[in-house]
Amino acid sequence: MTEDHEAIIPVWTLATGDVRVPAVAGDGQMTAERLTELRGVLAGLADRPIATLEVHPLPGALDRGRGLPLDAASPLAQHLSQLITRSAKSSPAAATATAAGEGLYRMVVPAKFAAQFGQGIVSPMVAKGVAGGVRGPLMNGGRIVGGVAYVPVGGATAAGAVGGAGATAGVAVGGSAALTVAAPLVLMAVAVGVSAHADQKRQQAIEHITGLLEQLHEEKLDDEHSELDGCRDAIDKATAILLDQGKLGASLGLDSAVHAINSALGAADRRLARWQGALDKLPEGKAVEIATLTKSFPGVDDEGGTFRAHLELAALAIALKQRVIVLQAVEHAQSDPDNLFENFSRALKADHQRLETLETNIAGVLERLSALELARPQSLRPVFTTGEVDRLMRAANRIRKLGDGVMVDNRKTDVAIEIARAKDGSVVVFPALPAQS
């Protein structure tokens, strides 16, 4: 996204509760670098989660299909509209930027607080062997670009509550005048952004596994895939109901979907244990024959193969479970009017630890495999055919590339959630991604 160098961008500092911090923001214009520094300082001083919210012009070409749409009556859209309306009354910059009714709103949650809702759910997409691995949806890969000036918006409130919870909002007591308490807005933006991120990962897993299973023609794996993919309908309906401030019921089928997902995660755990055991039995520091490797990792030397299908089934189960965790966390937070964000982040962290461990251990298996040296197959013949040499080289290359998709950067990062608002007040929330300053 390219900004006009003369553009003035309003920025709100939102808190999820009353916090006391020095008035460090000031009232003048800021550069993008200064905004990043300010966010870090406020995060360090505040004991409750905070976020910043910027409004940018809406890009002309925008693929809304990658996000989750919410109508104007949804809690997130309403809280955003309230913030806009109240801010416009007291801030000329906010009034000008929001006058058209549409815009791209970019919420950034500092790393300190992003970690509270499961850092691994939205992790830096830096992969070995992938140039420019960090990717973002709209704003140039998540970066703040151009020479725009950011102006703090102060004195605005965003009254209201999410899910019937009585979380009224106002200017934080004893803090900067630009610090606005808006727990429901932050909660809903984070919830939808994280859910959209997990669904994006689900779609990627589906694309990969469909091609693999078409090659394999294995009914058992096909059944696993069908059962997992069949969970999507219940999860989508539950997401729509919760994010529209409804209550979940047994008729949705979410319980059976959760059971299927948990069963798939159990299968992934068992397969992982077998893979780790097989690698532990390999002679350390010695080359391994392909035939030995394919006994425990069938098809590892091919583009497809059962092993790679098992990897994609695990990825699909993890992505679906991440969406369920978000739903459970939102429902839990909505049940406690006075403890929205804390309940939300606590519920996310508790269940996410298992997924994080599973992902980390699978990544460890792939790294160990990619580091193996392949031995020449034993043969009575002193000379190998050209075909045998080619197969060995192809297999070595494919196995080495297994480590290319492994996440190698697990440092904490700010998380950006971008929200496209239409003139009718409806919004599309894009997948939460690591923010780059």
Side-chain angles (χ1 to χ4, degrees):
M1 176 176 168
T2 303
E3 299 279 10
D4 186 337
H5 285 270
E6 301 299 321
I8 301 297
I9 302 297
V11 55
W12 294 262
T13 303
L14 307 177
T16 58
D18 287 344
V19 294
R20 297 177 181 274
V21 295
V24 294
D27 298 320
Q29 297 181 2
M30 296 182 292
T31 62
E33 292 75 15
R34 173 61 178 158
L35 175 59
T36 301
E37 292 172 1
L38 172 64
R39 192 162 49 236
V41 170
L42 288 174
L45 295 173
D47 58 357
R48 302 284 291 273
I50 67 167
T52 58
L53 180 69
E54 313 150 21
V55 55
H56 299 258
L58 197 62
L62 187 58
D63 180 11
R64 288 175 168 80
R66 295 178 299 103
L68 292 182
L70 299 174
D71 63 31
S74 65
L76 173 57
Q78 288 185 345
H79 293 310
L80 183 59
S81 295
Q82 290 168 10
L83 180 70
I84 293 168
T85 301
R86 294 169 186 249
S87 298
K89 295 177 181 178
S90 59
S91 169
T96 300
T98 60
E102 62 181 15
L104 177 66
Y105 290 80
R106 183 176 189 263
M107 182 177 290
V108 179
V109 182
K112 172 184 174 181
F113 300 117
Q116 292 185 13
F117 57 82
Q119 184 64 24
I121 288 182
V122 183
S123 56
M125 297 187 69
V126 178
K128 289 168 59 179
V130 179
V134 177
R135 298 177 291 277
L138 301 175
M139 294 189 60
N140 194 22
R143 292 182 183 275
I144 300 172
V145 293
V148 299
Y150 294 84
V151 178
V153 179
T157 61
V162 59
T168 56
V171 178
V173 178
S176 164
L179 197 62
T180 301
V181 182
L185 177 58
V186 177
L187 169 68
M188 296 306 291
V190 168
V192 185
V194 171
S195 184
H197 177 84
D199 193 56
Q200 185 182 59
K201 293 171 69 176
R202 180 199 64 81
Q203 292 176 27
Q204 292 170 349
I206 286 289
E207 291 172 4
H208 294 157
I209 199 171
T210 299
L212 289 173
L213 294 181
E214 285 175 355
Q215 298 174 38
L216 288 172
H217 302 294
E218 288 198 20
E219 288 188 12
K220 286 186 67 176
L221 293 181
D222 243 339
D223 290 343
E224 280 189 56
H225 173 223
S226 298
E227 190 168 6
L228 275 177
D229 200 30
C231 299
R232 179 188 174 186
D233 186 57
I235 293 174
D236 284 349
K237 287 178 181 175
T239 301
I241 289 173
L242 266 185
L243 298 182
D244 283 337
Q245 207 168 325
K247 296 291 183 182
L248 298 183
S251 61
L252 287 176
L254 192 59
D255 287 347
S256 59
V258 170
H259 174 73
I261 294 167
N262 287 341
S263 297
L265 289 173
D269 281 327
R270 292 190 296 274
R271 287 163 181 160
L272 173 64
R274 289 199 296 268
W275 297 337
Q276 291 172 322
L279 287 170
D280 290 340
K281 292 177 183 177
L282 295 178
E284 190 173 350
K286 294 185 179 180
V288 183
E289 287 192 35
I290 295 177
T292 301
L293 206 56
T294 54
K295 287 180 181 178
S296 301
F297 303 92
V300 69
D301 56 330
D302 294 326
E303 289 292 344
T306 302
F307 172 64
R308 294 173 193 263
H310 285 163
L311 289 176
E312 295 302 336
L313 282 168
L316 177 57
I318 289 170
L320 288 168
K321 183 65 173 180
Q322 285 173 339
R323 286 201 71 186
V324 169
I325 290 173
V326 174
L327 291 176
Q328 293 169 334
V330 172
E331 186 178 30
H332 190 46
Q334 289 180 161
S335 68
D336 189 342
D338 301 317
N339 197 14
L340 284 176
F341 206 91
E342 286 78 2
N343 272 339
F344 174 71
S345 58
R346 192 182 304 119
L348 277 179
K349 283 185 67 176
D351 279 344
H352 178 64
Q353 288 178 344
R354 178 191 175 190
L355 298 185
E356 192 170 31
T357 299
L358 178 59
E359 285 188 303
T360 300
N361 288 338
I362 289 176
V365 166
L366 295 178
E367 285 194 303
R368 290 173 68 182
L369 280 171
S370 67
L372 290 177
E373 178 186 353
L374 292 186
R376 292 167 40 163
Q378 295 185 12
S379 173
L380 297 176
R381 293 180 287 107
V383 179
F384 288 96
T385 67
T386 302
E388 289 173 328
V389 172
D390 286 345
R391 183 187 177 223
L392 180 63
M393 293 181 65
R394 284 197 303 269
N397 186 51
R398 285 167 181 160
I399 291 171
R400 187 172 60 251
K401 285 184 176 180
L402 285 172
D404 287 352
V406 175
M407 296 301 178
V408 295
D409 188 350
N410 292 320
R411 58 186 167 81
K412 293 180 180 179
T413 179
D414 294 354
V415 169
I417 301 159
E418 292 177 346
I419 305 168
R421 183 178 189 266
K423 290 182 179 180
D424 64 0
S426 62
V427 297
V428 175
V429 185
F430 293 92
L433 287 176
Q436 290 183 280
S437 57

